[in-house]
Amino acid sequence: MISLFLDTSSSYFCACIVKDQSVLKSIYVYLEKDMSKYALVKVKEMMDELNLKPNDVDEIIVVNGPGSYTGLRVGVTIAKTYAWGLSKKLAKISSLYVMATSVKDSSYSYIVPVIDARRGFVFAGIYDKNYNIVMQDSYISIEKLQEFVSKLDGKCIYISREDVKNLDTINYNPDLENLFNNLKIDYVEPHLLVPNYLKKTEAEENLNCD
């Protein structure tokens, strides 16, 4: 089984090609506004280095949110087109779950991946040390998240790609081997896959205020 993993949910492009749970090639590079321009190019470069053709991939696993609105659309579009065009299996995965699996320190009872959503809010989930869901991925105020965490019995660790005000976070560094060792596949039909934004766009929110 050869799998292609794609994460375009932030300013960083993260991808890997995996064969039978062994990572053959991976990339984690800062693309920021060039995500739509270079994401597919980077995928092709990885495949070329491994002498793989597009049809050699058996499944595509894509992060569908939460995260950057533009970034998520890039990854979801690539994955849907690839899966539909070549009749490949397609699976979706949470960006927060991917972040959680980068923590392997079993001294922590709970892992809290967070993405800054601005104005005192974050996208966050809570997972136990076996990566089981304790709190579903949510768009939540930092205050309410801290209140939820304070009621947990055990040591917690916050993890993020950036500094988040009022939270003591460690820096996220992907561990794709551990991700695939703990992968929980959620297959979906290509035409049914949509980004999981968890909140409305700022334009939509402003529209509702009028």
Side-chain angles (χ1 to χ4, degrees):
M1 170 75 78
I2 295 179
S3 307
L4 171 64
F5 167 76
L6 299 172
D7 182 359
T8 59
S9 62
S10 73
S11 296
Y12 287 86
F13 175 63
C14 182
C16 69
I17 295 174
V18 178
K19 183 174 182 180
D20 301 328
Q21 293 191 310
S22 177
V23 176
L24 303 179
K25 188 73 181 178
S26 65
I27 184 172
Y28 186 55
V29 61
Y30 186 72
L31 291 183
E32 196 179 12
K33 295 179 181 179
D34 290 326
M35 186 70 71
S36 61
K37 184 177 180 179
Y38 290 113
L40 197 54
V41 174
K42 295 298 182 182
V43 171
K44 185 179 185 303
E45 288 175 355
M46 286 197 304
M47 297 183 71
D48 287 347
E49 289 183 35
L50 295 171
N51 294 315
L52 292 175
K53 301 298 182 185
N55 214 33
D56 293 330
V57 171
D58 299 298
E59 64 178 12
I60 301 98
I61 300 166
V62 63
V63 167
N64 74 318
S68 160
Y69 288 107
T70 302
L72 290 174
R73 288 196 294 271
V74 171
V76 166
T77 300
I78 291 173
K80 289 177 69 169
T81 304
Y82 196 146
W84 180 82
L86 294 178
S87 299
K88 302 299 181 179
K89 293 180 179 179
L90 178 62
K92 62 182 179 178
I93 190 170
S94 159
S95 58
L96 297 170
Y97 181 81
V98 173
M99 292 170 66
T101 60
S102 70
V103 178
K104 293 190 291 187
D105 188 343
S106 59
S107 67
Y108 293 99
S109 300
Y110 302 100
I111 305 164
V112 188
V114 294
I115 299 172
D116 191 0
R118 301 178 183 178
R119 300 176 183 173
F121 282 77
V122 291
F123 299 114
I126 301 178
Y127 300 83
D128 66 20
K129 58 186 175 183
N130 295 314
Y131 313 117
N132 297 308
I133 295 173
V134 175
M135 184 188 83
Q136 293 283 349
D137 293 356
S138 306
Y139 173 66
I140 188 173
S141 71
I142 293 175
E143 183 179 354
K144 286 186 178 179
L145 176 63
Q146 289 174 317
E147 181 180 338
F148 193 106
V149 169
S150 69
K151 296 176 181 178
L152 297 175
D153 183 17
K155 191 177 177 183
C156 299
I157 183 171
Y158 290 93
I159 181 169
S160 181
R161 289 187 177 92
E162 65 273 297
D163 291 335
V164 179
K165 188 176 181 181
N166 298 325
L167 291 180
D168 184 15
T169 63
I170 65 167
N171 189 53
Y172 167 62
N173 187 29
D175 188 332
L176 300 176
E177 290 276 4
N178 197 47
L179 169 63
F180 273 80
N181 286 335
N182 293 277
L183 198 58
K184 298 172 182 177
I185 292 290
D186 184 10
Y187 288 116
V188 61
E189 291 297 322
H191 65 282
L192 295 178
L193 177 65
V194 294
N196 180 25
Y197 296 127
L198 284 185
K199 70 180 290 288
K200 295 179 180 179
T201 65
E202 186 173 344
E204 289 172 325
E205 289 176 343
N206 290 338
L207 182 64
N208 290 339
C209 289
D210 293 340

